[in-house]
Amino acid sequence: MIAFQGVSVVYPNGVTALRDLDLKIEKGDFLFLVGPTGSGKSTILKLIYREEVCTSGRIIVAGKEITGISRRQIPYLRRGIGVVFQDFKLLPRRTAWDNVAFALHVIGVGRTEVKRQAAKALDSVGLLHKADALPTELSAGEQQRVCIARAIVNNPVILVADEPTGNLDPDTSWDIVQLLSRINVKGTTVIMATHDRSIVDRMRKRVIALQNGRLVRDEDKGAYIGEL
Amino acid sequence: MSSRMRLGYFLSETASNLRYNGLMTLASIGTVMVSMLVLGVFLLFNLNLKSTINEVSSKTRVCLYLKAEASGVEVDALKRMVEGLDGVRKVDYVSVDKARERLKQDMSGQADLGRIVDTAPLPASMEIEMVDTSKVASLTSVIKGQPAIDEIHYGEDIITTLNLIRRIVQIGGLAAIIILCLVTAFVIANTIRLTVFARRKEIRIMQLVGATDWFINWPFIMEGIFHGLAGSLLAIGIAAVGYTWLVKNWPLTFIFPLAYNEQALLHISIALLVGGMLVGAFGSFSSVRKFLKALA
């Protein structure tokens, strides 16, 4: 599904974000990216939806090499990838429903289809009853669920989450991860960057640990801190 | 999505853009209005200058004074030759008697001069009315050596000056129009930049969920076109009211009346309308494109 081959990212100011990374993620995987701030977790996620471009190496997403694709092809790549952020990035003046429907509107989906899919997505995160609420009227956990609904409304094959529980209390965090896990069970590949030790330890999923832009650990049923 | 629904989406996005920054929208429309008004005043000035030049040109005649000894055959041949030349509308032969008659008329009321006129040695002449005054120089050079001609007179200075003014106005006008359009586009670009900035979060999300640049661009470009359209409509309205008033109250003592050629005025209106919309589209496009490039 996703492959990184010898990928390095060096910023113009000389900072190296990733060094010679080799990584393979299979279809239907659930994967945690762990490591200290600045270790390269976010960079990996951004490379997948081509927010960033690697300095060297090859990246393959959904069977397609994306290293050299043109600007015009990027939107079509992103339609297959859902993105969830720590700060939700919801539009404050639009209702939960509008925030989810927006993602379909802007890629040219017809009105009936928008209605059907938005309802389905909001229902799957358990927020159909709050469709008319503005983000400010929702709790942080609910806002994150709207963000997830927006990310999955287009039935992406890959879901990328950058510290989605960073702003949430432990119980709500656990709910969110359970939600992501349910999405994963339906076949979507989920990649989640996190600092949340208890979640990683409880989930027992594949863990990739990074340090200074290098992959230092890759375990199938791993924990937040490596077992010796 | 069908194209009708797309248009609906773009229109509603444009409308909400306009609502979001109402005051800036007004400022932007106002700037377009001022620019297009200046452009309109310039075009009207140009129209009047052109009609004045035409008026003066049509009244400018080349006068050939004929030699007293020139024969009727020579005069006839000269008249036919001149009539065949480029830029000539009409050739009138003025005999000695006719010239005297005219002079008498001009001096009527000044009784004492009547006798002098009767005895004055007036030459016969040929008066050439031109279609195109810029052809006068070439005309004179062609007929200069003709045996029947004694002297050639024409308003050299006036014609040269008028043609020079016309040239200067054309070049200066073109430069002024280009500068004005650039300034207007710049102002619109700045206003649209504010809209884009106000909606940067939405644009960001649009990019992340896979909206194409084209799809993101359109509402902003339509907003720019709307600024241009509204501004130029206002400018046309003000110019129309102002110019109509001027035409009605133009003092008759002026040599030339103001031009009120409906077709030319329609052309000016269309020019302002299209100009405003193009400038609006160009301004917003350059603004959004810069922003999208910076983000992606």
Side-chain angles (χ1 to χ4, degrees):
Chain A
M1 174 62 46
I2 298 170
F4 281 58
Q5 298 170 354
V7 172
S8 294
V9 174
V10 183
Y11 293 124
N13 62 9
V15 173
T16 305
L18 279 183
R19 288 167 215 266
D20 197 24
L21 179 79
D22 287 299
L23 179 63
K24 218 168 169 183
I25 303 168
E26 299 299 337
K27 185 170 163 38
D29 264 4
F30 192 115
L31 177 134
F32 287 114
L33 291 174
V34 300
T37 305
S39 58
K41 305 185 298 292
S42 292
T43 305
I44 291 179
L45 299 183
K46 285 177 180 169
L47 285 169
I48 293 172
Y49 59 90
R50 207 158 187 287
E51 173 89 342
E52 283 189 23
V53 186
C54 59
T55 321
S56 62
R58 268 155 49 96
I59 301 168
I60 291 148
V61 174
K64 206 176 160 193
E65 168 146 13
I66 62 159
T67 328
I69 65 168
S70 73
R71 232 185 96 83
R72 293 179 59 174
Q73 288 173 286
I74 297 173
Y76 302 99
L77 165 76
R78 289 184 182 164
R79 287 178 194 188
I81 304 169
V83 187
V84 177
F85 304 94
Q86 180 177 3
D87 58 353
F88 321 138
K89 294 200 197 302
L90 295 175
L91 300 172
R93 272 182 287 220
R94 300 196 189 216
T95 62
W97 174 276
D98 286 342
N99 265 287
V100 176
F102 181 75
L104 292 175
H105 273 309
V106 300
I107 58 170
V109 176
R111 214 172 298 174
T112 4
E113 192 60 17
V114 169
K115 253 185 186 168
R116 205 179 62 79
Q117 296 205 67
K120 197 176 134 204
L122 273 175
D123 191 34
S124 70
V125 300
L127 276 180
L128 196 53
H129 64 291
K130 291 203 170 174
D132 292 332
L134 290 170
T136 45
E137 296 160 352
L138 297 171
S139 71
E142 286 170 333
Q143 288 184 49
Q144 189 57 291
R145 282 196 274 161
V146 174
C147 182
I148 292 171
R150 181 181 64 194
I152 61 166
V153 71
N154 193 30
N155 299 315
V157 286
I158 299 164
L159 184 69
V160 159
D162 196 353
E163 299 190 30
T165 60
N167 285 349
L168 307 176
D169 64 68
D171 285 346
T172 314
S173 295
W174 183 245
D175 287 346
I176 291 294
V177 173
Q178 287 301 302
L179 178 56
L180 293 178
S181 181
R182 283 201 296 277
I183 292 164
N184 171 245
V185 168
K186 287 179 190 160
T188 304
T189 307
V190 176
I191 304 152
M192 172 171 161
T194 186
H195 285 296
D196 198 323
R197 180 178 180 162
S198 67
I199 282 177
V200 177
D201 290 347
R202 269 173 88 179
M203 289 289 286
R204 287 282 153 184
K205 297 282 187 183
R206 184 176 171 195
V207 174
I208 288 188
L210 295 159
Q211 201 152 28
N212 294 325
R214 269 186 221 284
L215 192 155
V216 291
R217 181 160 56 92
D218 183 351
E219 288 173 340
D220 258 350
K221 287 185 178 167
Y224 191 79
I225 290 172
E227 291 155 13
L228 297 169
Chain B
M1 204 195 286
S2 73
S3 59
R4 221 184 79 229
M5 280 166 65
R6 250 188 204 171
L7 187 68
Y9 166 80
F10 290 140
L11 285 175
S12 76
E13 284 301 294
T14 307
S16 84
N17 275 359
L18 291 169
R19 255 200 319 277
Y20 275 150
N21 44 344
L23 207 62
M24 280 316 297
T25 299
L26 284 185
S28 189
I29 290 173
T31 320
V32 180
M33 186 194 79
V34 170
S35 302
M36 287 299 129
L37 200 56
V38 173
L39 186 62
V41 167
F42 169 78
L43 289 176
L44 285 172
F45 180 74
N46 194 36
L47 172 74
N48 276 289
L49 191 78
K50 230 167 92 184
S51 83
T52 302
I53 289 175
N54 284 341
E55 197 85 23
V56 172
S57 297
S58 70
K59 283 182 179 162
T60 303
R61 289 158 179 237
V62 179
C63 196
L64 311 177
Y65 290 105
L66 304 174
K67 284 178 184 157
E69 64 270 22
S71 71
V73 180
E74 275 176 328
V75 172
D76 277 350
L78 179 65
K79 186 168 189 254
R80 267 198 302 281
M81 178 198 171
V82 174
E83 277 170 344
L85 289 173
D86 202 18
V88 173
R89 179 181 289 140
K90 209 169 103 192
V91 182
D92 280 327
Y93 174 68
V94 183
S95 66
V96 178
D97 292 342
K98 207 171 161 189
R100 186 160 290 146
E101 196 63 32
R102 258 196 215 167
L103 190 61
K104 246 184 205 169
Q105 258 174 27
D106 288 351
M107 300 208 161
S108 64
Q110 291 165 293
D112 296 348
L113 294 172
R115 248 176 305 122
I116 301 171
V117 170
D118 280 337
T119 53
L122 287 170
S125 63
M126 223 175 262
E127 288 177 356
I128 306 169
E129 205 173 289
M130 302 296 295
V131 180
D132 182 356
T133 48
S134 64
K135 300 268 164 65
V136 168
S138 66
L139 176 118
T140 52
S141 71
V142 171
I143 58 174
K144 215 169 210 163
Q146 289 299 308
I149 299 174
D150 186 24
E151 262 181 75
I152 301 174
H153 277 268
Y154 63 95
E156 293 109 313
D157 292 347
I158 289 188
I159 289 172
T160 329
T161 311
L162 279 179
N163 278 321
L164 185 70
I165 291 176
R166 192 189 220 167
R167 185 76 39 88
I168 290 172
V169 166
Q170 274 168 355
I171 294 169
L174 198 69
I177 286 172
I178 290 171
I179 292 170
L180 265 176
C181 285
L182 284 177
V183 169
T184 311
F186 180 74
V187 172
I188 291 180
N190 268 309
T191 308
I192 302 294
R193 191 170 303 154
L194 290 174
T195 320
V196 171
F197 188 73
R199 305 197 74 177
R200 64 193 183 283
K201 282 186 184 162
E202 274 162 83
I203 294 178
R204 192 80 200 88
I205 291 163
M206 286 168 99
Q207 287 183 320
L208 287 175
V209 299
T212 57
D213 283 356
W214 182 87
F215 201 94
I216 299 172
N217 277 340
W218 265 110
F220 295 105
I221 291 175
M222 274 164 68
E223 187 184 353
I225 291 176
F226 175 83
H227 290 167
L229 184 72
S232 49
L233 278 177
L234 283 173
I236 290 168
I238 293 171
V241 170
Y243 194 66
T244 312
W245 182 87
L246 256 185
V247 168
K248 271 190 191 146
N249 295 280
W250 193 246
L252 288 168
T253 47
F254 266 65
I255 316 166
F256 301 107
L258 280 178
Y260 202 83
N261 173 347
E262 273 175 17
Q263 205 184 348
L265 293 180
L266 182 71
H267 285 167
I268 290 179
S269 306
I270 291 172
L272 294 188
L273 211 59
V274 173
M277 284 162 71
L278 279 180
V279 163
F282 174 74
S284 50
F285 182 69
S286 68
S287 189
V288 185
R289 214 171 62 129
K290 219 182 284 170
F291 192 82
L292 288 186
K293 274 215 169 129
L295 268 184

Coordinates of all heavy atoms in Angstrom, one line a residue, chain A residues 41-90:
Chain A
K41 N 8.1 12.1 12.7 CA 6.7 11.4 12.6 C 5.9 12.2 11.6 O 5.3 11.7 10.6 CB 6.0 11.4 13.9 CG 6.8 10.7 15.0 CD 6.0 10.5 16.3 CE 5.5 11.9 16.9 NZ 6.6 12.7 17.4
S42 N 5.7 13.5 11.9 CA 4.8 14.3 11.0 C 5.3 14.4 9.6 O 4.6 14.4 8.6 CB 4.8 15.7 11.6 OG 4.1 15.7 12.8
T43 N 6.7 14.4 9.5 CA 7.2 14.5 8.1 C 6.8 13.2 7.3 O 6.4 13.4 6.1 CB 8.8 14.5 8.2 OG1 9.1 15.6 9.0 CG2 9.4 14.7 6.8
I44 N 6.8 12.1 7.9 CA 6.4 10.8 7.2 C 4.9 11.0 6.7 O 4.6 10.7 5.6 CB 6.5 9.6 8.1 CG1 8.0 9.3 8.3 CG2 5.8 8.4 7.5 CD1 8.3 8.1 9.2
L45 N 4.1 11.5 7.6 CA 2.7 11.6 7.3 C 2.5 12.6 6.1 O 1.8 12.4 5.2 CB 1.8 12.1 8.5 CG 1.9 11.2 9.7 CD1 1.0 11.7 10.8 CD2 1.4 9.8 9.3
K46 N 3.2 13.8 6.2 CA 3.1 14.8 5.2 C 3.6 14.3 3.9 O 3.2 14.8 2.8 CB 3.9 16.1 5.7 CG 3.1 16.8 6.7 CD 3.9 18.0 7.2 CE 3.1 18.8 8.3 NZ 4.0 19.8 8.9
L47 N 4.6 13.4 3.9 CA 5.2 12.9 2.6 C 4.1 12.0 2.0 O 4.0 12.0 0.7 CB 6.4 12.1 2.9 CG 7.7 12.8 3.2 CD1 8.8 11.9 3.7 CD2 8.2 13.6 2.0
I48 N 3.3 11.3 2.8 CA 2.3 10.4 2.2 C 1.2 11.2 1.5 O 0.8 10.9 0.3 CB 1.6 9.6 3.3 CG1 2.7 8.6 3.9 CG2 0.4 8.8 2.8 CD1 2.2 7.8 5.1
Y49 N 0.7 12.3 2.0 CA -0.3 13.1 1.3 C 0.3 14.3 0.6 O -0.4 15.2 0.1 CB -1.5 13.5 2.2 CG -1.2 14.4 3.4 CD1 -1.2 15.8 3.3 CD2 -1.0 13.8 4.6 CE1 -1.0 16.6 4.4 CE2 -0.8 14.6 5.8 CZ -0.8 16.0 5.6 OH -0.6 16.8 6.8
R50 N 1.6 14.2 0.4 CA 2.4 15.1 -0.4 C 2.2 16.6 0.0 O 2.1 17.5 -0.9 CB 2.1 14.9 -1.9 CG 3.4 15.4 -2.7 CD 3.4 14.7 -4.1 NE 4.6 15.0 -4.8 CZ 5.0 16.1 -5.3 NH1 4.3 17.2 -5.1 NH2 6.1 16.2 -6.0
E51 N 2.3 16.8 1.3 CA 2.4 18.1 1.8 C 3.8 18.5 1.7 O 4.2 19.7 1.6 CB 1.9 18.1 3.2 CG 2.1 19.4 4.0 CD 0.9 20.3 3.8 OE1 0.1 20.1 2.9 OE2 0.7 21.3 4.6
E52 N 4.7 17.5 1.8 CA 6.1 17.7 1.7 C 6.7 16.8 0.6 O 6.1 15.8 0.3 CB 6.8 17.4 3.0 CG 6.6 18.6 4.0 CD 7.5 18.4 5.3 OE1 8.5 17.8 5.2 OE2 7.1 19.0 6.3
V53 N 7.8 17.2 0.1 CA 8.5 16.4 -0.9 C 9.8 15.9 -0.4 O 10.5 16.7 0.3 CB 8.7 17.3 -2.2 CG1 9.3 16.5 -3.3 CG2 7.4 18.0 -2.6
C54 N 10.2 14.7 -0.7 CA 11.5 14.2 -0.2 C 12.6 14.7 -1.0 O 12.5 15.0 -2.2 CB 11.4 12.6 -0.1 SG 11.2 11.8 -1.7
T55 N 13.8 14.8 -0.4 CA 15.0 15.3 -1.1 C 15.6 14.2 -1.9 O 16.1 14.4 -3.0 CB 16.0 15.8 0.0 OG1 15.3 16.4 1.0 CG2 17.0 16.7 -0.6
S56 N 15.5 12.9 -1.4 CA 16.0 11.8 -2.2 C 15.2 10.6 -1.8 O 14.6 10.5 -0.7 CB 17.5 11.6 -2.0 OG 17.7 11.3 -0.6
G57 N 15.3 9.5 -2.6 CA 14.5 8.3 -2.4 C 13.2 8.3 -3.2 O 12.9 9.2 -4.0
R58 N 12.4 7.2 -2.9 CA 11.2 7.0 -3.7 C 10.1 6.7 -2.7 O 10.3 6.0 -1.7 CB 11.3 5.8 -4.6 CG 11.8 6.1 -6.0 CD 12.5 4.9 -6.6 NE 11.7 3.6 -6.5 CZ 10.8 3.2 -7.5 NH1 10.7 3.8 -8.6 NH2 10.2 2.1 -7.3
I59 N 8.9 7.2 -3.0 CA 7.7 7.0 -2.2 C 6.6 6.4 -3.0 O 6.3 7.0 -4.1 CB 7.2 8.2 -1.4 CG1 8.4 8.8 -0.5 CG2 6.0 8.0 -0.6 CD1 8.1 10.2 0.0
I60 N 6.1 5.3 -2.6 CA 5.0 4.7 -3.4 C 3.7 4.7 -2.5 O 3.8 4.2 -1.4 CB 5.3 3.3 -3.9 CG1 6.4 3.5 -5.0 CG2 4.1 2.6 -4.5 CD1 7.4 2.3 -5.0
V61 N 2.6 5.3 -3.0 CA 1.4 5.3 -2.3 C 0.3 4.7 -3.2 O 0.1 5.1 -4.3 CB 1.0 6.7 -1.9 CG1 -0.4 6.7 -1.2 CG2 2.0 7.3 -0.9
A62 N -0.4 3.7 -2.6 CA -1.5 3.0 -3.4 C -1.0 2.5 -4.7 O -1.7 2.7 -5.8 CB -2.7 3.9 -3.5
G63 N 0.2 2.0 -4.8 CA 0.7 1.4 -6.0 C 1.3 2.4 -7.0 O 1.6 2.1 -8.1
K64 N 1.3 3.7 -6.6 CA 1.8 4.7 -7.5 C 2.9 5.5 -6.9 O 2.9 5.9 -5.8 CB 0.6 5.6 -7.8 CG 0.7 6.3 -9.1 CD -0.5 7.2 -9.4 CE -0.2 8.2 -10.5 NZ -1.1 9.2 -10.6
E65 N 4.0 5.6 -7.7 CA 5.1 6.4 -7.2 C 4.7 7.9 -7.2 O 4.2 8.4 -8.2 CB 6.3 6.2 -8.2 CG 7.4 7.3 -7.9 CD 8.8 6.8 -8.0 OE1 8.9 5.7 -8.6 OE2 9.7 7.5 -7.6
I66 N 4.8 8.6 -6.1 CA 4.3 9.9 -6.0 C 5.5 10.9 -5.9 O 5.3 12.1 -5.8 CB 3.4 10.2 -4.8 CG1 4.2 9.9 -3.5 CG2 2.2 9.3 -4.9 CD1 3.5 10.5 -2.3
T67 N 6.7 10.4 -6.0 CA 7.9 11.3 -5.8 C 7.9 12.4 -6.9 O 8.2 13.5 -6.6 CB 9.2 10.5 -5.9 OG1 8.9 9.2 -5.4 CG2 10.2 11.1 -5.1
G68 N 7.6 12.0 -8.1 CA 7.7 13.0 -9.2 C 6.4 13.5 -9.8 O 6.4 14.1 -10.9
I69 N 5.3 13.3 -9.1 CA 4.0 13.7 -9.7 C 3.9 15.2 -9.8 O 4.5 15.9 -9.0 CB 2.8 13.1 -9.0 CG1 2.6 13.6 -7.6 CG2 2.8 11.6 -9.0 CD1 1.3 13.3 -6.9
S70 N 3.1 15.7 -10.7 CA 3.0 17.1 -10.9 C 1.9 17.7 -10.0 O 1.1 17.0 -9.4 CB 2.5 17.4 -12.4 OG 1.2 17.0 -12.5
R71 N 2.0 19.0 -9.8 CA 1.1 19.7 -9.0 C -0.4 19.4 -9.3 O -1.2 19.3 -8.4 CB 1.3 21.2 -9.2 CG 1.5 22.1 -8.0 CD 1.6 23.5 -8.4 NE 0.3 24.1 -8.2 CZ -0.2 24.6 -7.0 NH1 0.6 24.5 -6.0 NH2 -1.4 25.1 -6.9
R72 N -0.7 19.2 -10.5 CA -2.1 19.0 -10.9 C -2.6 17.6 -10.5 O -3.8 17.4 -10.4 CB -2.2 19.1 -12.5 CG -1.9 20.5 -12.9 CD -2.1 20.6 -14.4 NE -3.4 20.2 -14.9 CZ -3.8 20.3 -16.1 NH1 -3.0 20.8 -17.0 NH2 -5.0 19.9 -16.5
Q73 N -1.6 16.7 -10.2 CA -2.1 15.3 -9.9 C -2.3 15.2 -8.4 O -2.9 14.3 -7.9 CB -1.0 14.3 -10.3 CG -1.0 14.1 -11.8 CD 0.2 13.3 -12.3 OE1 1.3 13.7 -12.3 NE2 -0.1 12.0 -12.6
I74 N -1.7 16.2 -7.6 CA -1.8 16.1 -6.1 C -3.2 15.9 -5.6 O -3.5 15.1 -4.8 CB -1.1 17.3 -5.5 CG1 0.4 17.2 -5.8 CG2 -1.2 17.2 -4.0 CD1 1.2 18.4 -5.4
P75 N -4.2 16.8 -6.1 CA -5.6 16.6 -5.6 C -6.1 15.2 -5.7 O -6.8 14.7 -4.8 CB -6.4 17.6 -6.4 CG -5.4 18.6 -6.9 CD -4.1 17.9 -7.0
Y76 N -5.8 14.6 -6.8 CA -6.3 13.2 -7.1 C -5.7 12.2 -6.1 O -6.4 11.3 -5.7 CB -6.2 12.9 -8.5 CG -6.9 13.9 -9.4 CD1 -6.2 14.9 -10.0 CD2 -8.3 13.9 -9.5 CE1 -6.8 15.9 -10.7 CE2 -8.9 14.8 -10.3 CZ -8.2 15.8 -10.9 OH -8.9 16.8 -11.6
L77 N -4.4 12.4 -5.8 CA -3.8 11.6 -4.8 C -4.5 11.7 -3.4 O -4.8 10.8 -2.8 CB -2.3 12.0 -4.7 CG -1.6 11.4 -3.4 CD1 -1.2 9.9 -3.6 CD2 -0.3 12.2 -3.1
R78 N -4.8 13.0 -3.1 CA -5.3 13.3 -1.8 C -6.7 12.8 -1.6 O -7.2 12.6 -0.5 CB -5.2 14.8 -1.5 CG -3.8 15.2 -1.2 CD -3.7 16.7 -0.9 NE -2.3 17.1 -0.7 CZ -1.9 18.3 -0.7 NH1 -2.8 19.3 -0.8 NH2 -0.6 18.6 -0.6
R79 N -7.4 12.6 -2.7 CA -8.8 12.1 -2.6 C -8.8 10.7 -2.1 O -9.9 10.2 -1.6 CB -9.5 12.2 -4.0 CG -9.8 13.6 -4.3 CD -10.5 13.7 -5.7 NE -10.4 15.2 -6.0 CZ -11.0 15.7 -7.1 NH1 -11.7 14.9 -7.9 NH2 -10.9 17.0 -7.4
G80 N -7.7 10.0 -2.1 CA -7.7 8.6 -1.6 C -7.1 8.6 -0.2 O -6.9 7.5 0.3
I81 N -6.8 9.7 0.4 CA -6.2 9.8 1.7 C -7.0 10.7 2.6 O -7.2 11.8 2.3 CB -4.7 10.3 1.6 CG1 -3.9 9.4 0.6 CG2 -4.1 10.3 3.0 CD1 -2.6 10.1 0.3
G82 N -7.4 10.2 3.8 CA -8.1 11.0 4.8 C -7.1 11.5 5.8 O -6.1 10.8 6.1
V83 N -7.2 12.8 6.2 CA -6.2 13.3 7.1 C -6.9 13.9 8.4 O -7.9 14.6 8.3 CB -5.4 14.5 6.5 CG1 -4.3 14.9 7.4 CG2 -4.8 14.1 5.1
V84 N -6.4 13.5 9.6 CA -6.9 13.9 10.8 C -5.8 14.7 11.6 O -4.7 14.2 11.6 CB -7.4 12.7 11.7 CG1 -8.0 13.2 13.0 CG2 -8.5 11.9 10.9
F85 N -6.2 15.8 12.1 CA -5.2 16.7 12.8 C -5.4 16.8 14.3 O -6.5 16.6 14.8 CB -5.2 18.1 12.2 CG -5.1 18.1 10.8 CD1 -6.2 18.2 9.9 CD2 -3.8 18.1 10.2 CE1 -6.1 18.2 8.6 CE2 -3.7 18.2 8.8 CZ -4.8 18.2 8.0
Q86 N -4.3 17.1 15.0 CA -4.4 17.3 16.4 C -5.4 18.5 16.7 O -6.2 18.4 17.7 CB -3.0 17.6 17.0 CG -3.0 17.9 18.5 CD -1.6 18.1 19.0 OE1 -0.7 18.2 18.3 NE2 -1.5 18.2 20.3
D87 N -5.3 19.5 15.9 CA -6.1 20.7 16.2 C -7.4 20.7 15.3 O -8.0 21.8 15.1 CB -5.3 22.0 15.9 CG -4.8 22.1 14.5 OD1 -4.9 21.1 13.8 OD2 -4.2 23.1 14.2
F88 N -7.8 19.6 14.9 CA -9.1 19.3 14.2 C -9.2 20.1 12.8 O -9.7 19.5 11.9 CB -10.3 19.7 15.0 CG -10.2 19.3 16.5 CD1 -10.6 20.2 17.5 CD2 -9.6 18.1 16.8 CE1 -10.5 19.8 18.8 CE2 -9.5 17.8 18.2 CZ -9.9 18.6 19.2
K89 N -8.8 21.3 12.8 CA -9.0 22.1 11.5 C -10.4 22.1 11.0 O -10.6 21.9 9.8 CB -8.0 21.7 10.4 CG -6.6 21.9 10.8 CD -5.7 22.0 9.6 CE -4.2 21.8 9.9 NZ -3.7 22.8 10.8
L90 N -11.4 22.4 11.9 CA -12.8 22.5 11.4 C -13.1 23.9 11.0 O -12.4 24.8 11.6 CB -13.7 22.0 12.5 CG -13.6 20.5 12.9 CD1 -14.6 20.2 14.0 CD2 -14.0 19.6 11.7

